[in-house]
Amino acid sequence: MLKEDLKQDVEARVAFLRRALAQAGAQGFVYGNSGGKDCTLVGILCKLACENTFGVCMPCASSQNYGQDLRDGMLAAKAFGIETVTVDLTGTKEALMAAVTAAHPVAENAAVNIAPRLRMATLYAVAQTRGALVAGTGNRSERYLGYFTKWGDGGVDLSPIGDLTKTQVYALAAFLGVPRSILEAEPSDGLFENDRTDQMQIGATYPELEWAMDRVNEGRSAADFEGRQAEVMRIYAARHAANAHKMNPIPVCKIPEDFLRG
C-alpha cells in the first residue's frame, strides 16, 4: 500500500473506534497487550482514537509470556505512551485446573485454552470498572481459519483490525513506527511452553494462507492445484471447516407455534 493509502486507512480505523465509543457511551478502550504486532497495532489505533486507552499484559504459565512477550509488550506501551499494567494469571490457571481436574480430567487442548479465557475475564473486569470497551486484537487471517479461542481472545466488544490480513497488519504497524523487534518476531500465540510458532501449529505461513484465502474466494479448491499449493489449500479448508462454529451465531432453538399448541 502507498503511504497515503496507509494514512487514510489509519484515519478510517480511528473514526470507526470513535463512533463505537460514542454509540456505546463508553469512556475508553482496554486491550490485551501480548507484545505482538496485532495487539500493538490495536493499542496504537485505540490511543489515536481516545487518550483513555489501557493495556493489560497477562502472562500465564508459558515462559515466553514472561520473556519476549512481556518485554515487547512493555516496549510498545512505553513507545506509544499507553498506560499498561501486568496481571499474572499463572496462579489463577493452576487453581482452576486443580479444581476442575479434581472432578474431571482435562484434555491438553482444553487446558491450553484456559489462559485466553482467563484473559478475556480479566479484560472485562478491568473494562467494566473503567467504563471502557474491550478492543479485540484478532486479524482477518486468524478469523478465517478460526485460529482463536472461542470466548477467549474471540470475546471482545469490537474488532479494529478484523478485516486485515497478517501481511496488511505488518504494513500498517510498520507505517506507524512499531519497534523493529516486534515487527520481526515470529508470530506465536505463546500458549505452549516450547514456544510453538503459528506456522508450526497451522502447518503453513500466513502469506501461504492468505494466498489460499484468495483462491477460495475465487471459487477454487485443492483439486485445482498440485504439490505444496494443493497442501496449503487442504490445510486452509480443513481449518476453516473445523472452526466454522466459532464464526457462526449461537444456534437458537425455534419451535414452531403449531407444535407448541399440540
Side-chain angles (χ1 to χ4, degrees), residues 178-229:
V178 169
R180 182 60 51 184
S181 62
I182 295 175
L183 290 175
E184 294 179 350
E186 192 71 27
S188 170
D189 58 20
L191 296 179
F192 296 89
E193 187 52 47
N194 59 0
D195 296 345
R196 281 188 241 176
T197 64
D198 290 354
Q199 181 179 347
M200 291 166 63
Q201 293 191 63
I202 298 170
T205 66
Y206 279 109
E208 286 179 321
L209 294 165
E210 290 163 18
W211 171 85
M213 191 188 310
D214 290 339
R215 301 295 78 76
V216 169
N217 289 338
E218 295 169 356
R220 305 177 74 181
S221 68
D224 298 318
F225 302 94
E226 297 179 350
R228 177 60 180 169
Q229 289 185 330

Coordinates of all heavy atoms in Angstrom, one line a residue, residues 178-229:
V178 N 6.0 0.9 14.7 CA 6.1 -0.2 15.7 C 7.6 -0.6 15.8 O 8.2 -0.8 14.7 CB 5.2 -1.4 15.3 CG1 5.5 -2.6 16.2 CG2 3.8 -0.9 15.5
P179 N 8.2 -0.8 17.0 CA 9.6 -1.2 17.1 C 9.9 -2.4 16.3 O 9.1 -3.4 16.1 CB 9.7 -1.5 18.6 CG 8.7 -0.6 19.2 CD 7.5 -0.6 18.3
R180 N 11.1 -2.4 15.7 CA 11.6 -3.5 14.8 C 11.5 -4.9 15.5 O 11.2 -5.9 14.8 CB 13.0 -3.1 14.4 CG 13.6 -4.1 13.4 CD 12.9 -4.3 12.1 NE 12.6 -3.0 11.4 CZ 11.9 -2.9 10.3 NH1 11.3 -3.9 9.8 NH2 11.6 -1.7 9.8
S181 N 11.9 -4.9 16.8 CA 11.9 -6.3 17.4 C 10.5 -6.9 17.4 O 10.4 -8.1 17.3 CB 12.4 -6.1 18.9 OG 11.5 -5.3 19.6
I182 N 9.5 -6.1 17.5 CA 8.1 -6.6 17.4 C 7.7 -7.0 16.0 O 7.1 -8.1 15.8 CB 7.1 -5.5 18.0 CG1 7.4 -5.3 19.5 CG2 5.7 -6.0 17.8 CD1 6.6 -4.2 20.1
L183 N 8.1 -6.2 15.1 CA 7.7 -6.5 13.7 C 8.4 -7.7 13.2 O 7.8 -8.5 12.4 CB 8.2 -5.3 12.8 CG 7.4 -4.0 12.9 CD1 8.0 -2.9 12.0 CD2 5.9 -4.2 12.5
E184 N 9.6 -8.0 13.6 CA 10.4 -9.1 13.1 C 10.2 -10.4 13.9 O 10.7 -11.5 13.5 CB 11.9 -8.8 13.1 CG 12.2 -7.7 12.1 CD 13.7 -7.3 12.1 OE1 14.4 -7.7 13.0 OE2 14.1 -6.5 11.2
A185 N 9.5 -10.4 15.0 CA 9.2 -11.5 15.9 C 8.4 -12.5 15.1 O 7.4 -12.2 14.4 CB 8.6 -11.2 17.2
E186 N 8.7 -13.8 15.2 CA 7.9 -14.9 14.6 C 6.5 -15.0 15.2 O 6.4 -15.0 16.5 CB 8.6 -16.2 14.7 CG 8.1 -17.3 13.9 CD 8.4 -17.2 12.4 OE1 9.4 -16.5 12.1 OE2 7.6 -17.7 11.6
P187 N 5.4 -14.9 14.5 CA 4.1 -15.0 15.1 C 3.9 -16.2 15.9 O 4.2 -17.3 15.5 CB 3.2 -15.0 13.9 CG 3.9 -14.3 12.8 CD 5.4 -14.8 13.0
S188 N 3.4 -16.0 17.2 CA 3.2 -17.2 18.1 C 2.1 -16.8 19.1 O 2.0 -15.6 19.5 CB 4.4 -17.5 18.8 OG 4.2 -18.4 19.8
D189 N 1.2 -17.7 19.4 CA 0.2 -17.4 20.4 C 0.7 -17.4 21.9 O 0.1 -17.0 22.8 CB -1.0 -18.3 20.3 CG -0.7 -19.8 20.4 OD1 0.3 -20.1 21.0 OD2 -1.5 -20.6 19.9
G190 N 2.0 -18.0 22.0 CA 2.6 -18.0 23.4 C 1.9 -18.9 24.4 O 2.1 -18.8 25.6
L191 N 1.1 -19.8 23.9 CA 0.3 -20.7 24.8 C 1.1 -22.0 25.2 O 0.7 -22.6 26.2 CB -1.0 -21.1 24.2 CG -2.0 -19.9 23.9 CD1 -3.3 -20.4 23.3 CD2 -2.3 -19.2 25.2
F192 N 2.1 -22.3 24.5 CA 2.8 -23.5 24.8 C 4.2 -23.3 25.3 O 4.9 -22.3 25.0 CB 2.9 -24.4 23.5 CG 1.6 -24.8 22.9 CD1 0.9 -24.0 22.0 CD2 1.1 -26.0 23.3 CE1 -0.3 -24.4 21.5 CE2 -0.2 -26.4 22.8 CZ -0.8 -25.6 21.9
E193 N 4.7 -24.1 26.2 CA 5.9 -24.0 26.9 C 7.1 -24.1 25.9 O 8.2 -23.5 26.1 CB 6.1 -25.0 28.0 CG 7.3 -24.8 28.8 CD 7.4 -23.4 29.4 OE1 6.5 -22.9 29.9 OE2 8.5 -22.8 29.3
N194 N 6.9 -24.8 24.8 CA 8.0 -25.0 23.8 C 8.0 -23.9 22.8 O 8.6 -24.1 21.7 CB 7.9 -26.4 23.2 CG 6.6 -26.6 22.5 OD1 5.8 -25.8 22.4 ND2 6.5 -27.8 21.9
D195 N 7.3 -22.8 23.0 CA 7.3 -21.7 22.1 C 6.9 -22.0 20.7 O 7.6 -21.6 19.7 CB 8.7 -21.0 22.1 CG 9.0 -20.4 23.5 OD1 8.0 -20.3 24.3 OD2 10.1 -20.1 23.7
R196 N 5.9 -22.8 20.5 CA 5.5 -23.2 19.1 C 5.0 -21.9 18.4 O 4.2 -21.2 18.9 CB 4.3 -24.2 19.2 CG 4.7 -25.6 19.5 CD 3.5 -26.5 19.4 NE 3.2 -27.2 20.6 CZ 2.2 -28.0 20.8 NH1 1.3 -28.2 19.9 NH2 2.0 -28.6 22.0
T197 N 5.5 -21.8 17.2 CA 5.1 -20.6 16.4 C 3.7 -21.0 15.7 O 3.3 -22.1 15.7 CB 6.1 -20.3 15.2 OG1 6.1 -21.5 14.3 CG2 7.5 -20.1 15.8
D198 N 3.1 -19.9 15.2 CA 1.8 -20.1 14.5 C 2.0 -21.1 13.3 O 1.2 -21.9 13.0 CB 1.2 -18.8 14.0 CG 0.7 -17.9 15.1 OD1 0.7 -18.4 16.3 OD2 0.4 -16.8 14.8
Q199 N 3.1 -20.9 12.6 CA 3.4 -21.7 11.4 C 3.5 -23.2 11.8 O 3.0 -24.1 11.1 CB 4.6 -21.3 10.7 CG 5.0 -22.1 9.5 CD 6.2 -21.6 8.7 OE1 6.7 -20.6 9.0 NE2 6.7 -22.5 7.8
M200 N 4.1 -23.5 12.9 CA 4.3 -24.8 13.4 C 2.9 -25.4 13.8 O 2.7 -26.6 13.5 CB 5.2 -24.9 14.7 CG 6.7 -24.5 14.3 SD 7.7 -24.2 15.8 CE 7.6 -25.7 16.7
Q201 N 2.1 -24.7 14.3 CA 0.8 -25.2 14.7 C -0.2 -25.4 13.6 O -0.9 -26.3 13.5 CB 0.1 -24.2 15.8 CG 0.8 -24.2 17.1 CD 0.0 -23.5 18.1 OE1 -1.1 -23.9 18.5 NE2 0.5 -22.3 18.6
I202 N -0.1 -24.4 12.6 CA -1.1 -24.4 11.5 C -0.6 -25.3 10.4 O -1.3 -26.0 9.7 CB -1.3 -23.0 11.0 CG1 -2.0 -22.2 12.1 CG2 -2.2 -23.0 9.7 CD1 -2.1 -20.7 11.8
G203 N 0.8 -25.3 10.1 CA 1.3 -26.1 9.0 C 1.6 -25.3 7.8 O 1.9 -25.8 6.7
A204 N 1.4 -23.9 7.9 CA 1.6 -23.1 6.7 C 1.9 -21.7 7.2 O 1.5 -21.3 8.3 CB 0.4 -23.0 5.8
T205 N 2.5 -20.9 6.4 CA 2.8 -19.5 6.7 C 1.6 -18.6 6.5 O 0.7 -19.0 5.7 CB 4.0 -18.9 5.9 OG1 3.6 -18.9 4.5 CG2 5.2 -19.8 6.0
Y206 N 1.6 -17.4 7.0 CA 0.5 -16.5 6.8 C 0.4 -16.1 5.3 O -0.7 -16.1 4.8 CB 0.5 -15.3 7.7 CG 0.0 -15.6 9.1 CD1 0.9 -15.7 10.2 CD2 -1.3 -15.9 9.3 CE1 0.4 -16.0 11.5 CE2 -1.8 -16.2 10.6 CZ -1.0 -16.3 11.6 OH -1.5 -16.6 12.9
P207 N 1.5 -15.8 4.6 CA 1.4 -15.5 3.2 C 0.8 -16.6 2.4 O 0.0 -16.4 1.5 CB 2.8 -15.2 2.8 CG 3.5 -14.7 4.0 CD 2.9 -15.5 5.1
E208 N 1.1 -17.9 2.8 CA 0.6 -19.0 2.1 C -1.0 -19.1 2.3 O -1.8 -19.4 1.4 CB 1.2 -20.3 2.6 CG 2.6 -20.6 2.0 CD 3.2 -21.8 2.6 OE1 3.0 -22.2 3.8 OE2 3.9 -22.5 1.8
L209 N -1.3 -18.9 3.6 CA -2.8 -19.0 3.9 C -3.6 -17.8 3.3 O -4.7 -18.0 2.9 CB -2.9 -18.9 5.5 CG -2.3 -20.1 6.2 CD1 -2.2 -19.9 7.7 CD2 -3.2 -21.4 6.0
E210 N -2.9 -16.7 3.2 CA -3.6 -15.5 2.5 C -3.8 -15.8 1.0 O -4.8 -15.5 0.4 CB -2.8 -14.3 2.8 CG -2.9 -13.8 4.2 CD -1.8 -12.8 4.6 OE1 -1.2 -12.2 3.6 OE2 -1.6 -12.6 5.8
W211 N -2.8 -16.5 0.4 CA -2.9 -16.9 -1.0 C -4.1 -17.9 -1.1 O -4.9 -17.8 -2.0 CB -1.6 -17.6 -1.4 CG -1.7 -18.3 -2.7 CD1 -1.6 -17.7 -4.0 CD2 -2.1 -19.7 -3.0 NE1 -1.8 -18.6 -5.0 CE2 -2.1 -19.8 -4.4 CE3 -2.3 -20.7 -2.1 CZ2 -2.4 -21.1 -4.9 CZ3 -2.6 -22.0 -2.7 CH2 -2.6 -22.1 -4.1
A212 N -4.2 -18.8 -0.2 CA -5.3 -19.8 -0.2 C -6.7 -19.1 0.0 O -7.6 -19.5 -0.7 CB -5.1 -20.9 0.9
M213 N -6.7 -18.2 0.9 CA -7.9 -17.4 1.1 C -8.4 -16.8 -0.2 O -9.6 -16.8 -0.5 CB -7.7 -16.3 2.2 CG -9.0 -15.7 2.7 SD -8.6 -14.3 3.8 CE -7.4 -15.0 4.9
D214 N -7.5 -16.2 -0.9 CA -7.9 -15.5 -2.2 C -8.4 -16.5 -3.2 O -9.3 -16.3 -4.0 CB -6.7 -14.8 -2.7 CG -6.3 -13.5 -1.9 OD1 -7.2 -13.0 -1.2 OD2 -5.2 -13.1 -2.0
R215 N -7.7 -17.7 -3.2 CA -8.1 -18.7 -4.2 C -9.5 -19.3 -3.9 O -10.3 -19.5 -4.8 CB -7.1 -19.9 -4.2 CG -5.7 -19.5 -4.5 CD -5.4 -19.0 -5.9 NE -5.9 -17.7 -6.1 CZ -5.1 -16.6 -5.7 NH1 -4.0 -16.8 -5.0 NH2 -5.6 -15.4 -6.0
V216 N -9.8 -19.5 -2.6 CA -11.1 -19.9 -2.2 C -12.2 -18.9 -2.6 O -13.3 -19.2 -3.0 CB -11.2 -20.2 -0.7 CG1 -12.6 -20.4 -0.2 CG2 -10.3 -21.4 -0.3
N217 N -11.9 -17.6 -2.4 CA -12.8 -16.5 -2.8 C -13.0 -16.5 -4.3 O -14.1 -16.0 -4.7 CB -12.2 -15.2 -2.3 CG -12.3 -15.0 -0.8 OD1 -13.1 -15.7 -0.1 ND2 -11.5 -14.1 -0.3
E218 N -12.1 -17.1 -5.0 CA -12.3 -17.2 -6.5 C -13.1 -18.5 -6.9 O -13.3 -18.7 -8.0 CB -10.9 -17.3 -7.2 CG -10.1 -16.0 -7.0 CD -8.6 -16.2 -7.5 OE1 -8.2 -17.3 -7.8 OE2 -7.9 -15.2 -7.5
G219 N -13.4 -19.3 -5.8 CA -14.2 -20.5 -6.1 C -13.3 -21.7 -6.4 O -13.8 -22.7 -7.0
R220 N -12.0 -21.6 -6.1 CA -11.1 -22.7 -6.4 C -10.9 -23.6 -5.2 O -11.2 -23.2 -4.0 CB -9.8 -22.2 -7.0 CG -10.1 -21.3 -8.1 CD -8.8 -20.7 -8.7 NE -8.0 -21.6 -9.4 CZ -6.8 -21.3 -10.0 NH1 -6.3 -20.1 -9.8 NH2 -6.1 -22.3 -10.6
S221 N -10.4 -24.8 -5.4 CA -10.2 -25.8 -4.3 C -8.8 -26.5 -4.5 O -8.1 -26.2 -5.5 CB -11.3 -26.9 -4.3 OG -11.2 -27.7 -5.5
A222 N -8.5 -27.4 -3.6 CA -7.2 -28.1 -3.6 C -7.1 -28.9 -4.9 O -6.0 -29.1 -5.4 CB -7.1 -29.0 -2.4
A223 N -8.2 -29.3 -5.5 CA -8.2 -30.1 -6.7 C -7.6 -29.3 -7.9 O -7.2 -29.9 -8.9 CB -9.6 -30.6 -7.0
D224 N -7.6 -28.0 -7.8 CA -7.1 -27.2 -8.9 C -5.6 -27.0 -8.9 O -5.1 -26.4 -9.8 CB -7.8 -25.8 -8.8 CG -9.3 -25.9 -9.0 OD1 -9.8 -26.7 -9.9 OD2 -10.0 -25.2 -8.3
F225 N -5.0 -27.6 -7.8 CA -3.5 -27.3 -7.7 C -2.8 -28.6 -7.4 O -3.4 -29.7 -7.2 CB -3.3 -26.3 -6.5 CG -4.0 -25.0 -6.7 CD1 -5.3 -24.8 -6.2 CD2 -3.4 -24.0 -7.4 CE1 -5.9 -23.6 -6.4 CE2 -4.0 -22.8 -7.6 CZ -5.3 -22.6 -7.1
E226 N -1.5 -28.5 -7.4 CA -0.6 -29.7 -7.1 C 0.4 -29.3 -6.1 O 0.7 -28.1 -5.8 CB 0.1 -30.1 -8.4 CG -0.9 -30.6 -9.5 CD -0.1 -31.1 -10.7 OE1 1.1 -30.8 -10.8 OE2 -0.8 -31.7 -11.6
G227 N 1.1 -30.3 -5.5 CA 2.2 -30.1 -4.6 C 1.9 -29.3 -3.4 O 0.8 -29.4 -2.8
R228 N 2.8 -28.3 -3.1 CA 2.6 -27.5 -1.9 C 1.4 -26.7 -1.9 O 0.7 -26.5 -0.9 CB 3.9 -26.6 -1.7 CG 3.8 -25.7 -0.5 CD 3.7 -26.4 0.8 NE 3.6 -25.5 1.9 CZ 3.3 -25.8 3.2 NH1 2.9 -27.1 3.4 NH2 3.3 -24.9 4.1
Q229 N 1.0 -26.1 -3.1 CA -0.2 -25.3 -3.2 C -1.4 -26.1 -2.9 O -2.3 -25.6 -2.1 CB -0.3 -24.7 -4.6 CG 0.8 -23.7 -4.9 CD 0.6 -23.0 -6.3 OE1 0.1 -23.7 -7.2 NE2 1.0 -21.8 -6.4

